[in-house]
Amino acid sequence: MPWKNGKGSTAEITIAPAGSTLARLDFDYRLSSAPIKEAGPFSPFPGYARILLPISGAGFVLNGHPYATFEAAHFSGDDETHCALLKKEVTDLGLIYDATKLDANVRALTLPFSLPLTLEPAHTYLVTLLEGSLKVAEHDLAKGDTLVVSAQESIMLECSKKATIAFFTLRQRQ
């Protein structure tokens, strides 16, 4: 789908709750991926918070602060945000979320072996495979696949070789 500012396009990965849309701005969270091909302003998302994780390319500079590949940028959708590229095109994972309802974070993790994780059943987790191969909760993920995990007490991340994931945690605000 095209960006609000018309300077590029985004592949929507997931949006919640079901039936909500970017156009209506009635979602709790939305995960997407997009190539950033040139410097310029980001579209505003008033009332939302944003996390941007560069997943390929050298990284970017947001409002004067550089972010390398797999280093997360947290910023307000209310802010005027300008992006410059460190080198050439960058692909990102972007989470836009309603900060009045949710707290969110992301970590890029490189797993050299299988790993059991204890989870909080009240939280939602988004697991995106960035590199390698991974099986999560009986689901084989291919590069770029995202698994939404909720109401689970634990999951097993099984990798036969090294795998890199983006691991988002979304918690309901109290």
Side-chain angles (χ1 to χ4, degrees), residues 18-35:
S20 56
T21 69
L22 180 67
R24 289 194 308 264
L25 292 177
D26 61 349
F27 56 92
D28 292 346
Y29 68 88
R30 175 185 182 259
L31 182 67
S32 63
S33 181

Side-chain angles (χ1 to χ4, degrees), residues 127-165:
V127 181
T128 301
L129 180 61
L130 304 175
E131 297 173 353
S133 62
L134 188 66
K135 186 174 188 174
V136 181
E138 306 302 319
H139 299 279
D140 289 314
L141 300 183
K143 183 177 178 178
D145 285 351
T146 298
L147 184 64
V148 179
V149 180
S150 59
Q152 297 290 320
E153 292 184 8
S154 66
I155 60 171
M156 182 68 172
L157 304 175
E158 300 176 48
C159 55
S160 56
K161 297 180 183 176
K162 184 171 75 169
T164 301
I165 62 170

Side-chain angles (χ1 to χ4, degrees), residues 2-8 40-44:
W3 290 349
K4 285 173 37 175
N5 68 12
K7 300 280 185 179
F42 277 7
S43 301

Side-chain angles (χ1 to χ4, degrees), residues 4 33-34 42 74 98 101 106 110-111 119 139 144 155 161 163:
K4 285 173 37 175
S33 181
F42 277 7
H74 297 254
D98 185 337
K101 296 179 181 179
V106 65
T110 298
L111 308 173
L119 305 177
H139 299 279
I155 60 171
K161 297 180 183 176

Side-chain angles (χ1 to χ4, degrees), residues 78-174:
D78 293 314
D79 295 344
E80 284 188 30
T81 304
H82 186 272
C83 178
L85 301 177
L86 289 176
K87 290 189 179 179
K88 296 181 180 179
E89 180 177 318
V90 172
T91 300
D92 68 41
L93 274 178
L95 181 72
I96 303 172
Y97 63 98
D98 185 337
T100 65
K101 296 179 181 179
L102 300 170
D103 289 319
N105 204 353
V106 65
R107 288 194 176 106
L109 303 172
T110 298
L111 308 173
F113 47 77
S114 296
L115 180 70
L117 292 180
T118 302
L119 305 177
E120 294 289 332
H123 300 346
T124 297
Y125 303 90
L126 309 174
V127 181
T128 301
L129 180 61
L130 304 175
E131 297 173 353
S133 62
L134 188 66
K135 186 174 188 174
V136 181
E138 306 302 319
H139 299 279
D140 289 314
L141 300 183
K143 183 177 178 178
D145 285 351
T146 298
L147 184 64
V148 179
V149 180
S150 59
Q152 297 290 320
E153 292 184 8
S154 66
I155 60 171
M156 182 68 172
L157 304 175
E158 300 176 48
C159 55
S160 56
K161 297 180 183 176
K162 184 171 75 169
T164 301
I165 62 170
F167 190 83
F168 291 87
T169 303
L170 298 119
R171 296 173 293 282
Q172 294 291 325
R173 292 198 106 191
Q174 302 293 330

